[in-house]
């Protein structure tokens, strides 16, 4: 479906201002908060918010609240994205260099904070997770959702202490665990050895660019990882890419909540995910979602959700 003449003019007017072009260029890379864009653009938050409202009203970008913060991303509408891509494509290559350097600084600060946090909490990681909801309850529900196996190849993205590998590794001919924290990988190595899991490969790797072959795993796991990420949709897309025909992806994370202290105390970037958001990403990745499983925690009020999706046997994914 094409944009009408009035819609096209409105969209072009909304984009036709230097700061707004800068914003579109930044959001083409990842979703950002008002605070982050204010820092990158070196403009006040009220001024940035006015630009964002104009582009949101014109359908160029999408606004979504996450606890007390608000994030923005490019519209998922195909025609709006086509217009944005065309506008950005004709900009001079060096038009946004300074902004993207500052974006790299924001990313670096995020990564350093996250790495520092994970290095500090690695020895207590499983205990910290148990504060949210009973691990035994999550694992029982997870095993039921995933099925008995056996599996040809299990890939655990953001493996942490390796708990998912100890849970499913014995049911697999081969398992791979990726994590950016060497401290976590060392703990995972100890744990999988103690559990007697063989044929496990633990790698220092990036969840956004795993360098693993497409359609190479019949079980891909993303356990309590997405809420730390700047671009969870991209991580889900990469996870979907790895799922073989007939294989399954399982995501375990929080349902939406308003525990703001999780941001500073535990480096959570997102305060949970709605079923519609996760299922949309799974469908975009060519998978067929199943009904989510919600596991509420009585004491804290946090709910852990298990999302699963399959790639049908007739589907084929090329590298």
């Amino acid at each position: 479906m094409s944009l009408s003449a009035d819609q096209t003019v409105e969209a072009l007017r909304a984009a036709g201002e230097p700061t707004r072009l800068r914003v579109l260029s930044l959001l083409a890379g990842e979703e950002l908060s008002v605070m982050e864009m204010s820092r990158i653009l070196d403009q006040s938050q009220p001024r940035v918010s006015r630009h964002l409202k104009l582009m949101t009203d014109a359908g160029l970008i999408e606004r979504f609240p996450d606890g007390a913060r608000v994030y923005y991303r490019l519209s998922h509408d195909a025609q709006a994205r086509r217009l944005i891509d065309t506008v950005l494509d004709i900009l001079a290559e060096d038009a946004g260099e300074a902004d993207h350097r500052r974006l790299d600084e924001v990313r670096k600060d995020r990564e350093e904070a996250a790495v520092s946090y994970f290095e500090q909490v690695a020895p207590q990681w499983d205990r910290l997770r148990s504060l949210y909801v009973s691990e035994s309850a999550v694992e029982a529900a997870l095993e039921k959702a995933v099925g008995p196996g056996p599996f040809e190849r299990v890939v655990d993205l953001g493996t942490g202490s390796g708990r998912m590998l100890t849970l499913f590794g014995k049911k697999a001919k081969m398992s791979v665990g990726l994590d950016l924290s060497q401290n976590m990988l060392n703990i995972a190595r100890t744990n999988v050895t103690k559990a007697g899991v063989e044929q496990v490969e633990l790698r220092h790797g990036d969840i956004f660019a795993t360098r693993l072959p497409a359609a190479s795993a019949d079980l891909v796991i993303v356990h309590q990882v997405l809420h730390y990420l700047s671009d969870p949709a991209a991580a889900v897309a990469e996870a979907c890419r790895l799922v073989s025909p007939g294989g399954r992806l399982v995501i375990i994370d929080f349902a939406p909540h308003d525990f703001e202290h999780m941001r500073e105390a535990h480096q959570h970037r997102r305060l949970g995910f709605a079923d519609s958001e996760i299922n949309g990403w799974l469908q975009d990745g060519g998978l067929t979602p199943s009904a989510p499983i919600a596991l509420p925690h009585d004491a804290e009020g946090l709910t852990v959700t298990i999302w699963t999706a399959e790639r049908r046997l007739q589907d084929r994914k090329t590298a």
Side-chain angles (χ1 to χ4, degrees), residues 135-148 151 163-164 167-168 171 219-223 248-252 293 295 305-308:
E135 282 296 309
S136 60
V138 173
E139 291 173 4
L142 183 56
E143 288 188 293
K144 184 177 179 180
V146 167
F151 306 103
R163 177 56 187 163
M164 292 297 101
L167 194 63
F168 294 104
K171 301 177 183 180
L219 177 59
V220 179
I221 304 169
V222 185
H223 182 217
R248 181 172 301 193
L249 168 60
V250 58
I251 297 171
I252 307 95
I293 302 168
L295 302 168
T305 303
I306 299 173
W307 295 274
T308 60

Side-chain angles (χ1 to χ4, degrees), residues 6 23 27-28 42 89 100 102 121 184 208 215 253 274:
D6 288 344
V23 169
L27 293 181
D42 194 24
D89 188 54
H100 285 276
R102 286 190 288 269
V121 305
M184 284 292 193
F208 297 111
D253 218 294

Side-chain angles (χ1 to χ4, degrees), residues 67-78:
R69 295 190 185 182
V70 176
Y71 288 87
Y72 289 83
R73 59 190 169 209
L74 294 184
S75 171
H76 282 82
D77 179 79

Side-chain angles (χ1 to χ4, degrees), residues 132-133 295-302:
Y132 305 142
V133 68
L295 302 168
H297 189 288
D298 294 335
E300 291 292 332
L302 288 174

Side-chain angles (χ1 to χ4, degrees), residues 165-166 168-176 192-193 195-201:
L165 295 176
T166 65
F168 294 104
K170 290 182 179 180
K171 301 177 183 180
K173 289 184 179 180
M174 198 273 177
S175 301
V176 178
V192 297
T193 299
V197 181
E198 299 178 351
Q199 300 301 316
V200 176
E201 183 179 339

Side-chain angles (χ1 to χ4, degrees), residues 129-162:
R129 277 184 170 169
S130 70
L131 297 176
Y132 305 142
V133 68
S134 166
E135 282 296 309
S136 60
V138 173
E139 291 173 4
L142 183 56
E143 288 188 293
K144 184 177 179 180
V146 167
F151 306 103
E152 288 294 319
R153 194 182 201 201
V154 172
V155 172
D156 185 21
L157 301 179
T159 192
S161 63

